[in-house]
């Protein structure tokens, strides 16, 4: 993702003014264009979305899952707009027809070559300070899942593809990640 540069900060209105089909995120007034996801990226997103939705449904859960593109107005101002690969929101008052207003409970980002620094550096801080409880970074090239738990003292645990990954926001729920998605 490359940032557009100009003197004044961009706003959500600038995101809405992009041509149809053009996807971008806005972080602290900077626009970052998003590349088209790869086939592997989409396979991982679908796999995780199914597992999470099945868990929520089978437990009559109140949380809702939204795969990208889904708008998250993370900070309550007009200078930050993100589209996480997967958002899980457990507070229905944060949701309206435009998206999620505030921090999702759980965010999953799937790394692509163009999003590496965004996912590992820029977004991690935004998600942490906005109040996201759990943040997963899935890195298909490294076959690595990094789980950041932001509740209480922040912890980071790394898992390899093929391992069982516990979900912090749900007791007793884990996802057995395939070795080759």
């Amino acid at each position: 993702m490359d940032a557009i540069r100009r003197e004044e900060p961009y706003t959500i209105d600038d995101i809405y003014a992009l041509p149809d089909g053009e996807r971008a995120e806005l972080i602290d007034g900077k626009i970052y264009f998003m590349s088209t996801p790869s086939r592997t990226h989409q396979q991982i997103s679908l796999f995780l979305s199914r597992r999470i939705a099945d868990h929520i449904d089978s437990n009559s859960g109140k949380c809702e899952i939204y795969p990208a593109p889904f708008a998250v107005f993370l900070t309550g101002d007009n200078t930050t707009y993100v589209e996480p690969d997967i958002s899980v929101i457990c507070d229905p008052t944060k949701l309206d027809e435009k998206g999620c207003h505030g921090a999702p409970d759980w965010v999953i980002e799937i790394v692509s070559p163009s999003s590496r620094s965004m996912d590992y550096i820029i977004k991690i801080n935004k998600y942490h300070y906005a109040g996201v409880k759990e943040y997963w970074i899935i890195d298909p090239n490294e076959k690595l899942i990094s789980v950041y738990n932001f509740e209480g003292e922040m912890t980071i645990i790394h898992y390899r593809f093929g391992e069982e990954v516990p979900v912090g926001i749900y007791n007793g729920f884990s996802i057995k990640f395939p070795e080759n998605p």
Side-chain angles (χ1 to χ4, degrees):
M1 296 183 171
D2 295 320
I4 296 176
R5 303 208 188 279
R6 76 175 187 200
E7 292 297 316
E8 59 197 16
Y10 286 90
T11 68
I12 291 170
D13 290 336
D14 294 308
I15 292 290
Y16 290 148
L18 291 172
D20 285 345
E22 187 83 48
R23 286 186 51 218
E25 294 180 305
L26 177 71
I27 298 177
D28 296 328
K30 294 179 186 170
I31 290 181
Y32 297 87
F33 286 103
M34 300 167 68
S35 60
T36 302
S38 69
R39 180 172 156 258
T40 299
H41 181 284
Q42 293 297 79
Q43 288 173 317
I44 293 169
S45 180
L46 181 59
F47 168 80
L48 290 169
S49 294
R50 282 182 175 162
R51 295 304 178 278
I52 297 164
D54 287 348
H55 177 78
I56 292 169
D57 291 346
S58 67
N59 289 282
S60 302
K62 65 176 183 159
C63 301
E64 296 185 37
I65 179 171
Y66 294 94
F70 181 73
V72 174
F73 305 94
L74 196 59
T75 57
D77 62 23
N78 69 350
T79 63
T80 300
Y81 164 101
V82 293
E83 292 184 1
D85 290 314
I86 298 173
S87 301
V88 177
I89 298 110
C90 300
D91 179 355
T93 65
K94 292 182 178 181
L95 297 168
D96 67 14
E97 286 303 310
K98 288 189 174 192
C100 177
H101 299 270
D105 294 83
W106 181 15
V107 168
I108 299 172
E109 294 284 9
I110 303 162
V111 175
S112 65
S114 63
S115 73
R116 183 167 296 284
S117 65
M118 285 288 293
D119 295 335
Y120 280 107
I121 299 168
I122 297 171
K123 285 185 178 179
I124 194 168
N125 290 319
K126 292 306 284 187
Y127 291 148
H128 180 230
Y129 292 114
V132 169
K133 295 175 183 174
E134 186 167 351
Y135 176 43
W136 287 20
I137 301 175
I138 313 293
D139 192 329
N141 288 341
E142 299 296 323
K143 297 193 178 283
L144 184 70
I145 303 132
S146 300
V147 176
Y148 296 80
N149 183 333
F150 294 140
E151 290 190 297
E153 187 174 325
M154 185 175 87
T155 60
I156 305 163
I157 302 174
H158 302 286
Y159 298 90
R160 304 295 307 166
F161 281 24
E163 293 183 318
E164 193 88 19
V165 182
V167 177
I169 68 165
Y170 294 116
N171 290 329
F173 177 43
S174 62
I175 297 173
K176 172 95 169 137
F177 210 86
E179 287 187 39
N180 296 303

